[in-house]
Amino acid sequence: MEPFIKRQLFCPGPTPIPQEIALASLDSAIYHRSDDFYKIFLSCSRRLQTIFGSDTQPLILASSGSGAMEAAVVNLTRVDDEVLALNCGKFGERWQKLLQSYKCRTQVLNAEAGQGIYPAQVLAALDKLSKPKALFLQANETSTGVRLPYEAIAAEVKKNYPELLVVVDAISSLGAHPVQMKSMGIDCVVAGSQKGFGMGPGLAFIALSSYAWSKISDRERFYFDLQRERKGQEKGRSAWTPPIGLLQNLDAALTLIDRAGGIDTMTTHHARLGRAARAAVNALGLKIFPGKDFYSDALTAISVPGNLDGIRLLDQLKSKYGAIFAGGQDELKGKILRFAHLGLVSQFDLLHGIAALEFALNDLNWACTLGSGVSAAMCELAAHQSK
Ligand SMILES: *Cc1c(COP(=O)(O)O)cnc(C)c1O
């Protein structure tokens, strides 16, 4: 990379890592079976509980986010359980595949790419089942930049099916969208370190409501046995050797989040970034890919106009400007550009991404006035000043 190009991530995970967080794992002289380490672990668990808004201690697992998804499935379902999965894209499909692998009788409610699913549709789908045990959904479908109305879905489902377990993959939401399990009636939330937390991949988090703990299944399991984990983690001890360095990073990340004002400040910040990103997209004459009820504050998926080459645009952004955006997957390849702003990113990081996008669009002869996206975003940011 040339010296005058700053490489920067704008993809929806991994997200940029602030230096203080990265440096926190340089001290490797720490033993994971020691009081020093248990203290760090417990302090992380306690602060995660505030972020999840859960009535029990979230568990920290050594895996990518998908590991926590699998943990949810193997601990909360049994073979032949009737379950409903919402599928708005690649990650919804992952719930479906996981549930089918573990032999649940899986009904799937699909949405068109770029669309979400409304609470009434979920109720209608549940009404067709005989004895549904659990509902699995994403809070934010990262592959299409769709934020589902998970709060309203959970509320409606709990009102009509109080015994149904509501399991939410908030891997790309936690930190960007408000997810408070107890007040929202969510029974299980999974998250991952490399999305909202400003640190590298390798840790996954899972929190269960007291009700979900009372519904743990008797399925065979080993590595992801949450009851075993819970017993140890109440004392700061994980069942297996934890990735010590990642726990040190997490400790530093949670300290930064607290210093910034905590989780509510963080979600307000992301709402502001999301609005500014969308203002920029409009000003550049581009279209936001998701339907208007489903805009995400974690990432903005942009439709690539038919006369633009989406693959070339991505490549131009990366090779000439060092700006690493994400494209679409499978049938959306070349058709959308995903501009992420979740994690520990500032308003200037956002403006950096927009400026890079404008340059690259200009290189590809897209008719837009240089600076118009940045200007629209700045006006929007100024109109919603943070404290
Ligand atoms: C990234 C992501 C995952 C998967 O996480 P991995 O860490 O890659 O296993 C699952 N769900 C959503 C919504 C995600 O954004």
Side-chain angles (χ1 to χ4, degrees):
M1 189 60 68
E2 293 173 38
F4 302 123
I5 296 176
K6 184 179 176 197
R7 205 153 29 94
Q8 177 103 347
L9 292 171
F10 295 101
C11 47
T15 59
I17 306 178
Q19 200 173 41
E20 290 174 71
I21 296 178
L23 294 179
S25 55
L26 287 181
D27 175 10
S28 59
I30 181 159
Y31 180 47
H32 63 284
R33 303 293 180 210
S34 72
D35 289 337
D36 289 343
F37 185 74
Y38 300 151
K39 226 160 78 189
I40 296 175
F41 199 104
L42 278 175
S43 158
C44 288
S45 305
R46 186 175 40 73
R47 287 175 288 168
L48 283 174
Q49 187 165 345
T50 309
I51 291 179
F52 280 76
S54 53
D55 58 1
T56 72
Q57 178 184 332
L59 302 178
I60 303 170
L61 307 172
S63 75
S64 83
S66 303
M69 293 173 76
E70 180 152 349
V73 171
V74 296
N75 285 273
L76 294 175
T77 71
R78 305 158 68 155
V79 171
D80 278 341
D81 273 349
E82 203 177 21
V83 297
L84 178 66
L86 307 192
N87 179 3
C88 301
K90 293 301 288 178
F91 293 107
E93 204 179 291
R94 189 161 306 174
W95 274 137
Q96 178 185 349
K97 285 183 180 163
L98 261 166
L99 290 161
Q100 287 168 343
S101 303
Y102 284 100
K103 311 227 164 0
C104 290
R105 279 185 289 140
T106 310
Q107 282 300 317
V108 182
L109 189 53
N110 293 295
E112 264 175 59
Q115 297 303 316
I117 292 173
Y118 295 100
Q121 293 173 277
V122 178
L123 290 182
L126 287 170
D127 284 346
K128 290 202 196 105
L129 303 182
S130 56
K131 207 166 175 287
K133 164 92 173 279
L135 167 70
F136 291 81
L137 68 149
Q138 268 64 39
N140 187 76
E141 173 53 64
T142 322
S143 66
T144 56
V146 159
R147 172 192 181 148
L148 280 94
Y150 56 89
E151 204 175 337
I153 291 174
E156 283 299 312
V157 165
K158 280 290 174 184
K159 199 158 68 192
N160 291 278
Y161 295 85
E163 295 193 351
L164 196 113
L165 292 166
V166 176
V167 182
V168 176
D169 164 4
I171 295 177
S172 64
S173 269
L174 214 67
H177 300 140
V179 180
Q180 289 287 299
M181 291 176 64
K182 193 164 179 218
S183 61
M184 294 181 183
I186 300 172
D187 294 299
C188 174
V189 163
V190 298
S193 55
Q194 81 276 25
K195 305 274 171 97
F197 292 86
M199 54 175 288
L203 289 181
F205 313 120
I206 182 166
L208 268 58
S209 63
S210 306
Y211 174 65
W213 279 114
S214 76
K215 294 281 162 188
I216 291 280
S217 73
D218 54 5
R219 208 193 255 286
E220 299 277 334
R221 55 192 162 244
F222 189 75
Y223 187 82
F224 289 127
D225 181 344
L226 294 182
Q227 278 168 321
R228 175 188 352 208
E229 279 297 347
R230 183 188 200 185
K231 252 199 219 137
Q233 292 199 16
E234 280 172 349
K235 302 188 198 76
R237 300 164 196 234
S238 50
W240 324 111
T241 309
I244 298 169
L246 291 176
L247 262 304
Q248 292 169 313
N249 296 143
L250 177 64
D251 185 27
L254 295 171
T255 302
L256 269 191
I257 292 172
D258 276 345
R259 212 190 300 149
I263 187 64
D264 294 341
T265 308
M266 191 166 165
T267 50
T268 307
H269 171 69
H270 282 92
R272 184 168 168 262
L273 295 186
R275 276 193 301 263
R278 293 189 289 275
V281 171
N282 289 328
L284 292 170
L286 297 171
K287 286 209 167 66
I288 291 159
F289 180 64
K292 68 168 173 28
D293 291 342
F294 307 109
Y295 292 160
S296 166
D297 295 324
L299 76 156
T300 301
I302 305 169
S303 298
V304 177
N307 52 347
L308 262 184
D309 182 340
I311 310 275
R312 250 192 83 206
L313 181 61
L314 268 183
D315 185 58
Q316 186 77 358
L317 277 161
K318 176 160 184 258
S319 59
K320 191 158 173 202
Y321 304 106
I324 304 166
F325 283 63
Q329 296 152 287
D330 300 341
E331 59 283 357
L332 290 176
K333 201 164 184 234
K335 299 204 172 123
I336 61 170
L337 183 79
R338 290 179 298 152
F339 174 21
H341 30 80
L342 82 163
L344 303 187
V345 303
S346 75
Q347 59 187 349
F348 294 104
D349 293 320
L350 186 87
L351 295 171
H352 171 165
I354 298 166
L357 178 61
E358 290 189 27
F359 272 142
L361 285 167
N362 199 256
D363 295 341
L364 270 59
N365 298 317
W366 176 254
C368 63
T369 311
L370 282 180
S372 58
V374 169
S375 171
M378 285 181 77
C379 290
E380 187 61 43
L381 290 167
H384 297 93
Q385 288 289 1
S386 50
K387 284 184 283 190

